[in-house]
Amino acid sequence: MAMTPEQMAQRIAAAGNAARREDQAALAKAGEDKARVMAELRAVAGSAWTRADQKNRQLWFGLGGAAIGILVWSILPGLVAREIVPASWQWPERIAARTLDLPKWEAGQRLMRATAPDAFANIAAADRIITANRKAVQACYTKAVKTKKTVRCTIEINRDDEAARSPIVSSTD
């Protein structure tokens, strides 16, 4: 089989066309693959940005929730203690004593001393005077009840007693 130069040229052209078609198909497939991979990369990058945004959003919502919780927790107990529960439960007094980390009696004394030192000194002096003269005061009270009248009582105050130096007693020092 002998080929003429024209036949040879046709066969070479046909082989070249076939090779070019295969190359074009491979290039087209590579272009499609490249486009698909780029789309996947964009999706992954977009997903990463979305995850970062979501974590950032979660952080801010968490911090906001904590701040709101702190605010509500600081306001709500006092509101409930003052306005909602019965006064006989003495919640405000318990909260004050717990805040000072003292029993209620000592907490009350500390609050009175801090608020009005002179008035607290007067109360303390009067308590010492009454305590020192308990029997005489009790006898006077019993007499007042029996007679149904106001009565005079005699009490004793020691000059060296702390109550004698109280603001309610005029000092001669």
Side-chain angles (χ1 to χ4, degrees), residues 4-26:
T4 64
E6 290 163 357
Q7 288 176 333
M8 179 73 86
Q10 285 178 351
R11 281 196 173 187
I12 291 173
N17 285 338
R20 278 192 297 273
R21 270 192 304 259
E22 288 175 11
D23 288 344
Q24 285 177 348

Side-chain angles (χ1 to χ4, degrees), residues 152-168:
R152 289 185 180 263
C153 297
T154 303
I155 59 171
E156 296 179 10
I157 297 179
N158 184 348
R159 177 171 164 44
D160 297 328
D161 187 6
E162 185 95 13
R165 286 175 265 170
S166 168
I168 61 170

Side-chain angles (χ1 to χ4, degrees), residues 22-171:
E22 288 175 11
D23 288 344
Q24 285 177 348
L27 282 173
K29 183 166 178 356
E32 290 171 4
D33 289 346
K34 181 187 118 192
R36 183 180 47 78
V37 167
M38 290 299 287
E40 287 176 6
L41 283 174
R42 279 191 203 103
V44 168
S47 172
W49 279 107
T50 303
R51 284 189 194 131
D53 288 344
Q54 184 176 11
K55 284 187 178 189
N56 194 21
R57 212 172 297 124
Q58 284 176 339
L59 173 70
W60 284 109
F61 276 115
L63 291 174
I68 290 170
I70 289 169
L71 184 65
V72 167
W73 194 247
S74 67
I75 294 171
L76 189 63
L79 179 67
V80 169
R82 287 185 310 272
E83 304 296 332
I84 297 175
V85 299
S88 64
W89 291 3
Q90 297 182 348
W91 278 16
E93 293 83 0
R94 287 184 188 177
I95 290 171
R98 191 170 294 142
T99 301
L100 294 172
D101 195 26
L102 294 170
K104 280 199 275 185
W105 185 258
E106 284 83 8
Q109 289 177 348
R110 182 172 170 183
L111 288 170
M112 287 189 296
R113 190 178 311 119
T115 303
D118 289 342
F120 179 74
N122 292 342
I123 291 169
D127 180 60
R128 285 191 295 277
I129 291 169
I130 293 294
T131 301
N133 293 285
R134 185 161 314 280
K135 288 182 183 176
V137 172
Q138 186 63 42
C140 283
Y141 178 74
T142 304
K143 186 177 179 183
V145 169
K146 284 182 184 176
T147 61
K148 296 181 183 176
K149 293 182 182 177
T150 302
V151 295
R152 289 185 180 263
C153 297
T154 303
I155 59 171
E156 296 179 10
I157 297 179
N158 184 348
R159 177 171 164 44
D160 297 328
D161 187 6
E162 185 95 13
R165 286 175 265 170
S166 168
I168 61 170
V169 179
S170 14
S171 177

